Amino acid sequence: IVISILLINCKKKENEGFKIKGKIEGNFKKYIYLKYNNNIDSTLVKDNEFSFVGENENPVEATFYPSSPKSKKMMGLAPFMLENSEIHISLKYEQSDFRGELTEFLKLDSISGSKSQELSTAFNSKMKNTFHNEKEESIRKKHLYNNLLEFIKTNPKSILSGKNLASLNNFYGYLDSNQMENLYKLIDTNYQSKKDLTTIKYIIKRRKLLNIGKIPPNIILPNQNNELIDSRTIKAKYVLFEFWASWCVPCRQTNPQLKNLYNEFKNKKFEIFGISIDKDIKKWKKAINEDDLDWIQVIDSLNTSAEKFLLKGVPYNILLDSSGKIIKINIKPKELSELLSVKLKK
């Protein structure tokens, strides 16, 4: 009996933890870094090979870094699904110019031994062949829901169920609160990250407030001349509520596209209502002048919009029809242009 117990314990210990055996293609002769959860580990690459050992209770998304994760410099990273098994990984390393700076890039070339990674690859492949290859919005919505439903029902304990539901619906506004709740009920929450669960609950709460067909909260804020503008007084067939800030890089990068779009459709019953969450009024006005924005602008320096619209950040937008009802959330300039071309040029 004693010998049997010892053998069982030895077998358990052999199976516990993860062992990563890696190869890296390229001129990489220094430390490579592995980050998962709040753990950061590193090892010296010798003859283009490296290894890591450790243990994690459940599968988790991990990332390889070409330099310290604590560094503030720009890097290309290689994410993958880490679990307690023997994992073989091949990476590619290169250096190239990015925005005038020599930047390091790591790319995942191949991986075996991680069942979670296989699940992730299979799901992403299905999304590519269905959702991402479809242009019709109503069909894309069906693909997104059906793909998530199939994956979650089959893998309720996989951390990827919560991760996919949170990340995809944080980026796309296709699924309503009822669909989100139906999918959430199928997940085994004991195996999900707290961050993903918090995000899912937040999205459900926000979509109950801002579902397609809902009328959003009213906005009364001052413009550049300190005159109060009431969003209910804006009369147009389509109105875009565009939440932004002068310090928001993606917002400023999108402004030229919005300007071109506005110039094309402003005389065809289309209006943009810019709501800035800037605290510095001077920087807000300067950004408006620099980007030459000629649509309605107001500033929410106290960020009351965060509470009213459950905003977590900018850029964020809501497209309304003539009755003031929401018809799109976070619509991209290209998609908005296509929609307006059809609706306003008839």
Side-chain angles (χ1 to χ4, degrees):
I1 294 173
V2 172
I3 292 172
S4 298
I5 293 172
L6 288 172
L7 288 172
I8 291 170
N9 286 337
C10 287
K11 190 173 182 180
K12 281 184 179 179
K13 287 181 180 178
E14 287 175 3
N15 293 332
E16 286 178 354
F18 62 79
K19 181 183 291 185
I20 298 174
K21 294 182 178 180
K23 293 183 178 181
I24 186 164
E25 180 184 321
N27 187 25
F28 194 96
K29 299 177 181 179
K30 56 176 185 170
Y31 281 87
I32 188 171
Y33 293 81
L34 172 67
K35 183 178 180 180
Y36 58 99
N37 291 334
N38 294 319
N39 304 309
I40 297 177
D41 198 359
S42 64
T43 188
L44 184 64
V45 176
K46 296 180 181 179
D47 299 323
N48 295 98
E49 295 185 351
F50 63 90
S51 63
F52 286 97
V53 293
E55 185 177 349
N56 198 57
E57 185 177 353
N58 295 311
V60 65
E61 186 173 56
T63 307
F64 284 115
Y65 288 71
S67 295
S68 172
K70 296 181 179 179
S71 169
K72 294 182 179 180
K73 65 180 181 180
M74 186 71 70
M75 290 179 277
L77 313 179
F80 70 102
M81 293 304 299
L82 176 65
E83 59 186 39
N84 291 333
S85 62
E86 184 171 305
I87 301 173
H88 294 262
I89 286 180
S90 177
L91 300 172
K92 287 185 177 180
Y93 170 77
E94 64 178 23
Q95 293 180 320
S96 61
D97 181 79
F98 183 76
R99 294 180 180 177
E101 183 178 340
L102 188 63
T103 305
E104 297 180 296
F105 291 88
L106 278 181
K107 183 180 179 181
L108 185 66
D109 187 36
S110 65
I111 179 171
S112 62
S114 170
K115 292 181 180 179
S116 296
Q117 182 64 38
E118 291 173 10
L119 284 176
S120 178
T121 301
F123 179 78
N124 291 335
S125 177
K126 185 159 190 177
M127 285 291 290
K128 181 181 179 181
N129 294 331
T130 56
F131 178 82
H132 294 296
N133 274 348
E134 181 58 56
K135 293 182 179 180
E136 177 60 42
E137 294 295 298
S138 60
I139 300 177
R140 279 167 66 87
K141 179 178 178 177
K142 289 179 182 177
H143 281 319
L144 180 60
Y145 182 77
N146 290 334
N147 289 350
L148 285 170
L149 179 63
E150 180 185 352
F151 185 89
I152 293 171
K153 285 181 74 173
T154 309
N155 309 283
K157 293 183 179 181
S158 171
I159 193 172
L160 289 168
S161 288
K163 179 178 178 294
N164 289 334
L165 184 59
S167 61
L168 288 171
N169 286 285
N170 199 29
F171 190 79
Y172 298 104
Y174 290 120
L175 304 188
D176 60 33
S177 57
N178 290 330
Q179 291 174 308
M180 289 284 295
E181 286 182 317
N182 290 339
L183 294 172
Y184 180 68
K185 289 174 183 176
L186 297 173
I187 292 176
D188 189 331
T189 56
N190 294 314
Y191 295 86
Q192 311 304 318
S193 76
K194 290 182 180 179
K195 181 181 178 181
D196 287 334
L197 294 178
T198 300
T199 299
I200 294 166
K201 291 176 183 177
Y202 167 77
I203 293 172
I204 291 172
K205 184 179 179 182
R206 185 171 65 182
R207 296 214 173 147
K208 283 183 176 180
L209 175 69
L210 301 173
N211 265 341
I212 303 300
K214 293 270 190 178
I215 295 178
N218 187 42
I219 296 176
I220 302 176
L221 290 168
N223 64 9
Q224 301 97 307
N225 300 318
N226 207 31
E227 300 167 335
L228 289 178
I229 304 297
D230 188 333
S231 61
R232 291 174 299 187
T233 64
I234 301 173
K235 302 300 179 184
K237 194 167 184 179
Y238 294 99
V239 179
L240 184 72
F241 281 17
E242 182 72 18
F243 295 89
W244 72 293
S246 64
W247 43 261
C248 168
V249 175
C251 302
R252 301 293 296 274
Q253 290 174 338
T254 304
N255 278 341
Q257 299 174 63
L258 286 178
K259 182 169 175 59
N260 291 335
L261 193 150
Y262 186 66
N263 289 338
E264 182 179 357
F265 296 105
K266 65 181 178 180
N267 295 324
K268 298 183 177 70
K269 299 182 180 179
F270 170 67
E271 187 56 73
I272 299 178
F273 186 43
I275 305 108
S276 168
I277 60 170
D278 275 285
K279 292 184 178 179
D280 191 317
I281 295 177
K282 289 183 179 179
K283 289 183 178 179
W284 167 58
K285 289 182 178 181
K286 182 181 178 183
I288 292 173
N289 291 329
E290 286 179 347
D291 295 356
D292 193 23
L293 309 180
D294 53 351
W295 52 82
I296 302 169
Q297 295 285 349
V298 294
I299 186 167
D300 184 7
S301 55
L302 298 178
N303 200 11
T304 56
S305 301
E307 184 177 346
K308 268 190 172 185
F309 289 81
L310 298 175
L311 290 181
K312 285 251 179 164
V314 289
Y316 185 79
N317 67 47
I318 301 170
L319 183 64
L320 311 179
D321 63 13
S322 57
S323 64
K325 293 180 179 178
I326 299 170
I327 58 172
K328 291 286 182 180
I329 297 286
N330 265 350
I331 187 169
K332 305 300 180 185
K334 183 181 178 182
E335 183 188 347
L336 178 57
S337 178
E338 291 171 353
L339 184 149
L340 295 176
S341 294
V342 173
K343 300 292 185 180
L344 297 180
K345 286 188 176 180
K346 285 185 178 180

